[in-house]
Amino acid sequence: MTERPAVHNGLVTTEDQAGAALNTEAEGAPYRAGFVAIVGRANVGKSTLLNGLLGQKISIVSPKPHTTRHKLLGVVNGARFQAAFLDTPGYLSNERDSLDAAMSRQGASALAEADVVMLVVEPRTLGDIEMRFIGQIKTLRKPAILAINKIDTVVKRKLLPVMAAYVEAHQFADIVPVTALDGDGLDLLLNRIEEQLPEGEPIFDPDLLTDRSVRFLVAETIREKLFLQFEQEVPYFVAVEVEEYEEREGDQPDYIRAVIYVDRDTQRQMLIGRDGSALKEVGIQARQEIETLVERAVYLDLWVKVNSKWRRKAGFVQNQL
Ligand SMILES: Nc1nc2c(ncn2[C@@H]2O[C@H](COP(=O)(O)OP(=O)(O)OP(=O)(O)O)[C@@H](O)[C@H]2O)c(=O)[nH]1
Ligand SMILES: [Mg+2]
């Protein structure tokens, strides 16, 4: 009847990573370790990139902007380095007040903590939002790497003027075109990040993948399925909490009770759908992914409740749409 602890040991850890980081005494290049903030416009693929670099999905992804609401740590261990990535919520609005308010929260705190900044962009945009981030990077005087993601969506000759615009805008330590979706360019990107990390001992235990609990990852997985299944505004008015997580012995599936909080009863009805069919589908999709995450069978008991106070407390990102 114990609850699952933070994500450690084997549960969400790759053995390759854990083994690789232990060898800090070896001859040769110095060991490097530090925080890398992943920042950028909403929907450019920051979370997809983090998952690709980790070789494991911990950060939820959807085609809609503002999928990520919370800063999320993901630790990558190499032979001679440890990179502690911080995924952040992206920004969409060009409006100064809204952007500033958002920047002063999660993204800004990740930037402040970071030893290296990774600005993620699409191969077509150097807009106000990118210029804002570049402004922050210059003020903070931190080494920055530009990851131009989604290069599968453009022909090469369209990439060159984008790169030229960024070269003009800032002296990036490196500019690396990647396709996070299929892993193309990620090895090179990781090499470039390693070069920018400060010398030092590992910050985290090599078997730690993220500091978030399994409960958090389960709630996030449910939120992702809501993003994927519902149209437009629906995912933006929900918050998800895992109320109970009970590990069970032997072949019995673990029991998880999760609540989706909404503001109004009309929203609750929309989520449940006719005969409960919409919610059932979310439950099936989420359960399958949770089972992959925890590597055992689970029973997911999913509820929808109206409680706007709780939803606000749960960290809903407001004023950004
Ligand atoms: N074609 C293509 N699509 C990608 C690539 N990387 C990510 N995507 C898609 O872009 C969309 C957004 O991806 P996310 O990883 O959620 O983007 P994000 O920057 O974390 O978004 P927020 O959390 O909302 O700021 C998803 O539909 C991804 O599948 C890529 O390399 N190529
Ligand atoms: Mg994201």
Side-chain angles (χ1 to χ4, degrees):
M1 294 269 259
T2 53
E3 284 175 2
R4 288 195 179 278
V7 180
H8 263 101
N9 284 325
L11 188 59
V12 190
T13 300
T14 65
E15 283 180 8
D16 288 353
Q17 275 199 23
L22 294 173
N23 190 18
T24 58
E25 303 294 321
E27 298 281 318
Y31 194 89
R32 295 178 182 277
F35 285 95
V36 184
I38 308 176
V39 298
R41 185 185 288 264
N43 215 38
V44 293
K46 299 179 294 300
S47 301
T48 311
L49 197 50
L50 174 65
N51 294 334
L53 290 166
L54 288 169
Q56 171 131 22
K57 182 173 172 186
I58 62 163
S59 194
I60 64 168
V61 166
S62 92
K64 297 189 180 78
H66 298 305
T67 304
T68 303
R69 280 186 199 163
H70 314 272
K71 196 171 67 176
L72 179 66
L73 173 77
V75 185
V76 174
N77 293 291
R80 305 288 307 148
F81 73 96
Q82 182 179 77
F85 289 96
L86 298 167
D87 190 11
T88 63
Y91 303 112
L92 196 62
S93 166
N94 281 323
E95 206 182 298
R96 177 170 280 271
D97 288 349
S98 151
L99 184 61
D100 282 349
M103 292 284 269
S104 69
R105 295 197 297 267
Q106 316 239 352
S109 89
L111 279 171
E113 278 172 75
D115 299 290
V116 180
V117 180
M118 179 162 74
L119 176 63
V120 185
V121 300
E122 290 188 1
R124 56 181 69 79
T125 44
L126 203 181
D128 284 2
I129 291 174
E130 286 74 21
M131 286 311 293
R132 288 288 190 102
F133 279 112
I134 289 172
Q136 292 264 330
I137 290 164
K138 286 186 198 291
T139 309
L140 291 166
R141 295 172 176 273
K142 296 194 176 181
I145 289 178
L146 182 75
I148 306 181
N149 189 30
K150 307 194 186 182
I151 57 160
D152 58 315
T153 63
V154 286
V155 290
K156 225 182 199 159
R157 71 186 155 76
K158 297 235 165 144
L159 191 58
L160 295 176
V162 174
M163 286 173 104
Y166 279 98
V167 167
E168 181 124 328
H170 184 65
Q171 204 174 353
F172 287 96
D174 257 298
I175 297 182
V176 187
V178 297
T179 301
L181 212 51
D182 63 15
D184 197 23
L186 297 195
D187 286 348
L188 180 67
L189 179 62
L190 206 50
N191 283 339
R192 298 296 193 248
I193 290 165
E194 177 182 0
E195 286 168 7
Q196 298 305 319
L197 292 171
E199 288 180 25
E201 293 294 303
I203 304 160
F204 297 101
D205 232 328
D207 72 350
L208 185 96
L209 185 70
T210 180
D211 57 350
R212 296 289 191 169
S213 64
V214 172
R215 274 176 180 245
F216 174 86
L217 298 182
V218 165
E220 285 288 274
T221 302
I222 295 165
R223 210 161 59 75
E224 180 188 76
K225 301 311 167 201
L226 292 167
F227 260 92
L228 295 177
Q229 187 164 320
F230 287 95
E231 288 307 307
Q232 294 311 323
E233 80 279 17
V234 175
Y236 298 108
F237 58 63
V238 302
V240 181
E241 185 196 32
V242 172
E243 278 193 341
E244 192 178 340
Y245 194 130
E246 195 183 299
E247 272 187 81
R248 291 190 172 153
E249 298 296 316
D251 290 343
Q252 282 222 72
D254 285 358
Y255 174 80
I256 302 171
R257 189 175 64 249
V259 181
I260 303 167
Y261 287 100
V262 294
D263 273 338
R264 289 189 289 275
D265 196 54
T266 46
Q267 297 166 341
R268 192 180 73 91
Q269 281 165 19
M270 203 188 302
L271 282 193
I272 292 171
R274 198 180 294 175
D275 307 327
S277 56
L279 187 64
K280 191 171 170 198
E281 189 54 35
V282 168
I284 291 169
Q285 301 287 329
R287 178 181 53 74
Q288 285 170 351
E289 203 164 305
I290 294 162
E291 287 179 337
T292 308
L293 177 78
V294 301
E295 294 176 343
R296 58 175 292 130
V298 301
Y299 179 86
L300 180 61
D301 194 6
L302 207 50
W303 294 79
V304 184
K305 289 184 186 169
V306 180
N307 185 337
S308 56
K309 236 195 249 163
W310 196 95
R311 189 179 63 77
R312 273 193 286 279
K313 202 179 93 198
F316 182 72
V317 178
Q318 285 169 322
N319 306 324
Q320 286 189 47
L321 293 172

